[in-house]
Amino acid sequence: MPKYLFISGSPRKGNMDFVLSDIFDSINGDKEMIILRGKNIKHCIGCLSCYNKPECVLQDDMKEILDMMRDSEILIIGTPNYFDNITGLLKDFIDRTLPLYTTSLIKGKKVILITVGGGKAEDSVKCITEATNGFIKYQKLVLIEVYGFQALNADELKKDPGINMKIESII
């Protein structure tokens, strides 16, 4: 059975956490969840020290997260759509995966992206796919699928009577 790592890039508890939690609960087996808003993740300072040694000079929670990524087979990454882009939390996370760029430690890992936005789900999927393209490409990850949900208000998806069927179709 594959090991799943869920990563939520949402700065608030709402639709994204609801969707990721439902998917998480539906999977039997080895799985872990990281809520980025609860982690200490500093901004990348662009020093490039990690090019010589696959470690970051910044001391925060990213070392633990990078280890968890390395030990997982499937990454399920969720982000709300903010102005046709990923959240700042997720961008900081992506930037801080740079120490893995010169290695093959996460090469070939499978990725599923989940997005929630106030506009059409198809539009959010397109935007989030484009926004994460460099991350997927340069870390040599394998994008399996991108799923989008339409919701604007914090708990809107909990009230959607068809949401369980949509979520169950993901995994």
Side-chain angles (χ1 to χ4, degrees):
M1 245 184 146
K3 182 173 183 179
Y4 295 86
L5 179 62
F6 288 74
I7 300 168
S8 174
S10 180
R12 68 178 183 180
K13 186 172 179 155
N15 294 304
M16 181 51 55
D17 286 357
F18 171 74
V19 171
L20 287 181
S21 292
D22 264 17
I23 299 168
F24 185 88
D25 291 344
S26 72
I27 292 176
N28 294 320
D30 205 355
K31 58 192 176 184
E32 293 183 81
M33 173 90 74
I34 297 171
I35 309 292
L36 295 178
R37 72 176 171 274
K39 296 294 183 180
N40 175 22
I41 300 174
K42 297 176 183 171
H43 301 291
C44 178
I45 58 173
C47 67
L48 299 179
S49 293
C50 59
Y51 264 49
N52 302 320
K53 185 177 180 184
E55 288 181 13
C56 185
V57 298
L58 300 175
Q59 300 298 308
D60 60 12
D61 293 333
M62 273 307 290
K63 181 181 180 347
E64 174 191 358
I65 294 170
L66 294 177
D67 289 344
M68 292 169 77
M69 289 176 69
R70 187 188 64 231
D71 295 340
S72 299
E73 296 169 60
I74 300 174
L75 307 174
I76 300 178
I77 302 171
T79 181
N81 176 351
Y82 283 9
F83 289 102
D84 290 342
N85 215 320
I86 60 177
T87 64
L89 282 172
L90 191 61
K91 176 64 170 125
D92 283 342
F93 160 79
I94 287 172
D95 290 347
R96 292 292 304 288
T97 67
L98 188 58
L100 301 177
Y101 172 69
T102 60
T103 74
S104 60
L105 294 173
I106 62 169
K107 177 183 177 183
K109 303 276 183 195
K110 296 175 183 171
V111 176
I112 297 171
L113 297 173
I114 312 285
T115 184
V116 176
K120 294 179 182 175
E122 310 85 57
D123 294 341
S124 288
V125 164
K126 181 180 176 195
C127 295
I128 299 312
T129 302
E130 290 173 7
T132 57
N133 182 54
F135 170 62
I136 303 289
K137 176 181 170 183
Y138 295 116
Q139 292 291 10
K140 298 175 182 71
L141 302 169
V142 178
L143 181 61
I144 304 242
E145 189 65 66
V146 184
Y147 296 94
F149 296 87
Q150 184 175 357
L152 182 61
N153 298 312
D155 291 321
E156 191 171 331
L157 289 178
K158 287 181 182 177
K159 300 170 189 164
D160 181 346
I163 194 65
N164 290 335
M165 284 184 20
K166 292 175 191 172
I167 290 172
E168 287 171 6
S169 71
I170 294 175
I171 300 291

